[in-house]
Amino acid sequence: DVQLQASGGGLVQAGGSLRLSCATSGFTFDDHVIGWFRQAPGKEREGVSYISNSDGRTYYTDSVKGRFTISSDNAKNTVYLQMNNLKPEDTAVYYCAATDHTGIVSLGIEIPQHWYDTWGQGTQVTVSS
């Protein structure tokens, strides 16, 4: 049974930090890309970052570059999203998802959301000003 469990959200002041975790099970972790997404109220879900567990390649959307860092612990089948210098506009429900469409990673571009096969439940991140 493939599962992704996101956790680590919370309420933080602007400039603060949070670390999200995405614990996975039921599939070959090393063969997949794990992505983080977020959806703010009234807005479409957007891709934030992803990591290829086979080679560690990463991608970040422009708005989080230099502030967010994605990493993976292959022994624990868990992906982390360290979020620093948080801004009110980072407020959203954050989701993690998995895809085995790894061929696009070498292009350094965003992986289309519909290529992700399995999604976890969201975790709320609220940044107060």
Side-chain angles (χ1 to χ4, degrees):
D1 189 22
V2 178
Q3 291 188 346
L4 288 85
Q5 180 83 23
S7 62
L11 173 63
V12 65
Q13 288 188 332
S17 299
L18 284 173
R19 188 178 79 155
L20 305 184
S21 298
C22 178
T24 75
S25 62
F27 61 92
T28 305
F29 187 76
D30 292 358
D31 292 344
H32 284 71
V33 169
I34 304 297
W36 282 100
F37 300 82
R38 65 187 180 186
Q39 187 166 22
K43 294 187 177 181
E44 293 187 354
R45 187 172 61 194
E46 65 170 343
V48 175
S49 178
Y50 67 71
I51 186 166
S52 171
N53 292 325
S54 63
D55 59 11
R57 294 190 189 208
T58 60
Y59 165 88
Y60 299 93
T61 194
D62 286 346
S63 62
V64 307
K65 284 180 180 177
R67 299 188 299 122
F68 291 10
T69 302
I70 192 170
S71 62
S72 65
D73 184 333
N74 291 41
K76 296 183 178 179
N77 291 348
T78 300
V79 170
Y80 304 97
L81 185 68
Q82 177 67 43
M83 305 186 296
N84 297 330
N85 190 21
L86 282 161
K87 304 176 180 181
E89 52 263 43
D90 294 318
T91 295
V93 178
Y94 283 70
Y95 301 88
C96 59
T99 179
D100 60 0
H101 291 284
T102 60
I104 198 174
V105 170
S106 62
L107 300 178
I109 61 175
E110 186 173 7
I111 298 175
Q113 291 190 31
H114 65 272
W115 288 16
Y116 285 83
D117 309 302
T118 305
W119 292 77
Q121 91 295 349
T123 185
Q124 176 71 47
V125 172
T126 303
V127 184
S128 63
S129 57

